[in-house]
Amino acid sequence: MIVRKNMAELEKMRAAGLLVYKVLDRLKTMVREGISTYELEVEAEKMITEAGARPAFKGYSTPATGTKFPFVLCTSVNDEIVHGMPSQKRILKAGDIVSIDTGVQLNGYYGDSAITVPVGEISEETKRLLEVTRESLELAIEKARPGNRLFDICGTVERHVTANGFTVVREFVGHGIGTKMHEEPQIPNYIDRKNENPRLKEGMVLAIEPMVNAGKPGSRVKPDKWTAVTEDGRNSAHFEHTVAITSNGPWVLTRP
Ligand code: MG
Ligand code: MG
């Protein structure tokens, strides 16, 4: 069942969403050659706890992993798609891209967002990968309106990505969000005809998150049970927003 939220609940989700935005906006300015992904982690944890919120990723586990994720951020560099772990040993260098994904729980409600940030000068192809991924998210957000259907979102991402010569990751998906970080529905970045195609209604809140590979769509999970990487070793980009469906259209909760 897809849980719909009333305006009072959406306002709480807005507060959580804005905190996630502030954290990512700050981390974006810290990304440069020579910084470790762990330094980003430390800053994020400080900001989230000082705001009276709980870092939603820290301690999170799934049946597939069986272990608790130990960090506030997922930092996924280059061929890492999602769920990379911050590390003092992972020093960013010029030409890298780093996906920073985080979530918070504030007053019982979750916010979840991700950005992919270039480190110094990056290649033209990688610039285009980031642009196309971000555009696919924006185009999908535009479909988050009452009366549309879930496949309008999924298909919009898939079409924009493939029209630009890139591929969507199939093993990881977006999700409904609210009093739980992961609620129904699952939101693949392609049309999965095995899934249902519910009509979108006012009060639904969706975390839409295209994960886009420069090369082939295949992924595998590293022995740490979390870090997902591209099978072909080429770069992957990831952008995400938490979006409420309202009678006035999409309300992106994770940006001002
Ligand atoms: Mg996320
Ligand atoms: Mg998410």
Side-chain angles (χ1 to χ4, degrees):
M1 187 192 64
I2 304 177
V3 180
R4 294 163 67 185
K5 286 84 179 172
N6 63 31
M7 197 38 88
E9 293 169 312
L10 289 186
E11 291 292 350
K12 287 185 183 174
M13 295 198 71
R14 173 60 163 170
L18 278 182
L19 175 58
V20 173
Y21 165 78
K22 277 181 201 154
V23 171
L24 293 179
D25 196 49
R26 163 84 184 123
L27 299 182
K28 193 166 64 180
T29 69
M30 292 174 65
V31 169
R32 67 189 132 75
E33 197 173 8
I35 197 173
S36 77
T37 51
Y38 190 73
E39 287 169 78
L40 303 174
E41 164 77 11
V42 170
E43 177 70 10
E45 180 154 40
K46 180 167 163 279
M47 287 183 76
I48 292 167
T49 50
E50 280 180 4
R54 190 184 71 80
F57 292 6
K58 200 169 183 172
Y60 185 85
S61 69
T62 71
T65 60
T67 61
K68 290 182 174 174
F69 190 79
F71 299 104
V72 166
L73 299 180
C74 296
T75 52
S76 308
V77 181
N78 296 340
D79 65 320
E80 295 171 354
I81 300 167
V82 286
H83 307 159
M85 297 196 195
S87 165
Q88 285 171 304
K89 291 187 202 145
R90 191 74 196 239
I91 310 292
L92 298 177
K93 55 184 197 309
D96 285 345
I97 53 171
V98 57
S99 147
I100 310 172
D101 186 358
T102 197
V104 305
Q105 185 188 29
L106 181 63
N107 296 323
Y109 287 85
Y110 284 87
D112 186 6
S113 181
I115 53 175
T116 301
V117 185
V119 186
E121 269 304 299
I122 59 172
S123 73
E124 284 307 314
E125 188 200 46
T126 305
K127 265 184 212 167
R128 216 167 55 76
L129 175 68
L130 265 51
E131 270 168 28
V132 167
T133 308
R134 191 180 10 226
E135 285 164 4
S136 73
L137 173 57
E138 293 302 329
L139 292 168
I141 288 170
E142 274 307 305
K143 302 291 179 185
R145 295 172 183 279
N148 281 348
R149 286 185 180 272
L150 188 66
F151 284 179
D152 292 317
I153 291 176
C154 309
T156 293
V157 172
E158 182 178 33
R159 272 192 305 277
H160 189 66
V161 168
T162 54
N164 283 281
F166 298 127
T167 60
V168 298
V169 175
R170 301 173 85 85
E171 292 82 6
F172 301 92
V173 298
H175 48 95
I177 180 168
T179 56
K180 296 190 209 126
M181 189 160 67
H182 295 122
E183 298 185 352
E184 287 182 34
Q186 292 200 352
I187 311 172
N189 292 300
Y190 63 97
I191 292 176
D192 184 349
R193 304 241 173 240
K194 295 192 301 299
N195 279 3
E196 294 194 3
N197 183 20
R199 200 172 283 285
L200 303 178
K201 293 182 179 156
E202 213 177 317
M204 291 179 177
V205 186
L206 308 176
I208 306 172
E209 49 180 315
M211 290 152 261
V212 177
N213 291 355
K216 296 200 174 78
S219 70
R220 68 183 170 84
V221 175
K222 289 175 103 172
D224 67 18
K225 301 256 183 88
W226 287 99
T227 312
V229 295
T230 59
E231 267 180 338
D232 64 8
R234 294 182 66 188
N235 280 348
S236 186
H238 178 211
F239 286 87
E240 175 180 22
H241 274 303
T242 297
V243 183
I245 296 171
T246 77
S247 55
N248 295 322
W251 181 15
V252 182
L253 300 177
T254 42
R255 72 177 164 213

